[in-house]
Amino acid sequence: MDAALTDILPVKRAIELDRRQPEFTQTFWTYLRRRVKDYRIIRGRALLAKHRDLLNKICAEYGIPPRYLIAFWGLETNFGDYLGNFRVIDALATLAFDRRRADFFRAELLSALQIIDEGHITPNAMTGSWAGAMGHMQFIPSTFTIHAVDFTGDGRRDIWGSLPDAFSSAANFLSNMGWRPGQIWGSEVRLPDDFDLMLATMRRKKTLEEWSVLGVRWTAGEALPQTNMEGSIVLPQGHKGPAFLIYDNFRTIMRWNRSINYAISVGHLADRIAGLPPIANGRDAEHEPLSREEAMEMQQLLNQLGFDAGPEDGLPGPRTASAIRIFQKEHSLPPDGYPSPTLLKRLRALEEALS
């Protein structure tokens, strides 16, 4: 504790970044285009070939296909190019003092101290993201303490300098979170014009046979297979954007980062690295994002109108999406749960008419 906590200073930048995470402040298309780029696909394929023997060994032990580990690596640190330059202890102490998620970051700070105490890394070398995510795969300290692996057998779980340790730790985490070997994350689908958008939520599961009966098709129009495998429909950019049929492994990816945009980006990058085509539909969706202030206003208006949008924090999550969906349904709008500028204008007009 003396080595780690003496002379630490508040990191104001960590607070600023905590308030504008891209998973909540960018539209799906903006988020995806900035992450699944051609250069990253090309480099991912080269690195997959370079590390194939190691990744195959890890796959044999943990059941995680190599292309997914490469995709996580690419999104988290651009294949190890940028591991983060924040002093983890300072950043975590700052966020533990901040009120928004104090309990969470206090626990992460204690886990970081445990990692130092066990000799895996020194305080000065423990650098990472503004939120304390570390190493090639950006593990937060509590994830490290539970899931990190010493694949090389040298007595240290070195997620900073050892790719065998970093890859195997990521694979162990995904395996422990419920990854199903042999199953994909999901795929793009095409919805019929009369599809009931109230069904497009992660909380609603149906078999592929049931979705097929409702008119869901692959993007080229082929029928879904008649199987009992279950999936859910998600619309990351509203009813005018692309539609995806997602499976249990998608939910496992979201245990890594609880963002639909992030999970689709991981899955799609893995697909592109494997040679599958880009997303086909939904490029004419509304691309203007809500600012955090506008998202807070939307949540406030929904709450005032009797629709439970949850905390007015400007970070729309499942509770806000549910409130939006119910509002849309009651006002004869497509109930896709998407927080768009058009919807905000509708809420403002209604609030003004009622006041």
Side-chain angles (χ1 to χ4, degrees):
M1 289 181 67
D2 288 342
L5 299 178
T6 300
D7 298 328
I8 63 170
L9 295 170
V11 184
K12 294 182 180 180
R13 181 65 172 157
I15 303 295
E16 294 172 2
L17 292 170
D18 182 56
R19 298 297 191 267
R20 54 185 180 89
Q21 298 175 52
E23 287 81 3
F24 300 101
T25 59
Q26 295 174 358
T27 66
F28 165 74
W29 277 117
T30 299
Y31 187 92
L32 185 81
R33 285 168 178 158
R34 292 181 180 180
R35 287 157 182 80
V36 185
K37 296 185 176 183
D38 288 343
Y39 84 86
R40 190 166 280 165
I41 296 167
I42 294 168
R43 189 177 175 195
R45 290 171 180 168
L47 289 169
L48 178 63
K50 179 180 179 180
H51 298 291
R52 186 173 297 280
D53 289 345
L54 169 63
L55 292 166
N56 283 342
K57 290 178 183 177
I58 292 171
C59 181
E61 184 165 348
Y62 297 101
I64 314 300
R67 66 183 184 275
Y68 288 101
L69 296 179
I70 293 291
F72 276 108
W73 190 28
L75 288 187
E76 290 295 342
T77 62
N78 199 36
F79 308 111
D81 287 350
Y82 184 72
L83 305 189
N85 58 8
F86 287 85
R87 283 175 51 89
V88 166
I89 296 297
D90 296 50
L92 291 176
T94 300
L95 293 165
F97 186 76
D98 182 53
R99 291 183 179 182
R100 194 173 87 82
R101 290 191 289 169
D103 290 344
F104 173 81
F105 284 110
R106 176 183 171 84
E108 292 303 319
L109 175 61
L110 294 174
S111 292
L113 293 173
Q114 178 183 338
I115 293 168
I116 293 169
D117 191 49
E118 291 175 353
H120 299 293
I121 197 165
T122 64
N124 287 334
M126 182 182 268
T127 57
S129 77
W130 61 267
M134 307 175 296
H136 282 272
M137 302 306 234
Q138 294 292 276
F139 271 23
I140 60 174
S142 61
T143 301
F144 180 102
T145 58
I146 299 170
H147 304 287
V149 172
D150 174 18
F151 195 78
T152 61
D154 65 355
R156 293 176 58 223
R157 293 181 283 173
D158 183 9
I159 62 172
W160 299 268
S162 167
L163 284 179
D165 285 6
F167 287 150
S168 60
S169 295
N172 187 47
F173 172 79
L174 292 167
S175 177
N176 291 343
M177 291 299 103
W179 185 274
R180 298 193 176 190
Q183 186 182 104
I184 62 174
W185 68 274
S187 54
E188 187 184 6
V189 292
R190 193 172 72 192
L191 305 181
D193 292 339
D194 61 350
F195 184 78
D196 181 2
L197 294 174
M198 293 295 285
L199 299 176
T201 169
M202 286 187 63
R203 293 192 295 271
R204 184 65 65 94
K205 283 186 176 183
K206 290 183 179 294
T207 66
L208 268 63
E209 183 175 2
E210 290 171 329
W211 286 124
S212 183
V213 170
L214 292 172
V216 179
R217 297 289 183 267
W218 299 130
T219 53
E222 312 99 323
L224 303 181
Q226 303 296 299
T227 72
N228 290 324
M229 182 176 173
E230 290 187 329
S232 302
I233 302 292
V234 295
L235 306 171
Q237 199 153 328
H239 68 285
K240 292 185 178 180
F244 298 91
L245 179 59
I246 56 97
Y247 311 115
D248 286 337
N249 282 344
F250 183 89
R251 292 175 167 81
T252 299
I253 294 173
M254 287 191 68
R255 301 291 295 274
W256 188 301
N257 183 322
R258 296 185 181 279
S259 160
I260 288 176
N261 289 351
Y262 177 87
I264 293 175
S265 296
V266 168
H268 187 54
L269 179 57
D271 287 350
R272 297 301 309 281
I273 289 171
L276 296 179
I279 295 167
N281 300 311
R283 297 183 183 276
D284 57 348
E286 188 172 10
H287 291 290
E288 182 185 354
L290 290 176
S291 67
R292 184 164 186 198
E293 292 72 22
E294 289 172 329
M296 291 173 68
E297 181 186 359
M298 173 177 286
Q299 291 168 323
Q300 182 182 35
L301 290 171
L302 286 166
N303 285 331
Q304 289 175 354
L305 292 168
F307 301 90
D308 182 12
E312 297 165 10
D313 57 5
L315 304 174
R319 197 165 165 186
T320 300
S322 178
I324 292 172
R325 195 182 295 272
I326 296 169
F327 172 84
Q328 291 169 324
K329 183 78 170 178
E330 291 189 9
H331 290 82
S332 301
L333 300 170
D336 56 15
Y338 184 64
S340 69
T342 299
L343 180 63
L344 177 57
K345 292 176 184 177
R346 183 70 176 262
L347 286 165
R348 286 169 174 167
L350 182 59
E351 193 270 340
E352 183 177 347
L354 295 174
S355 60

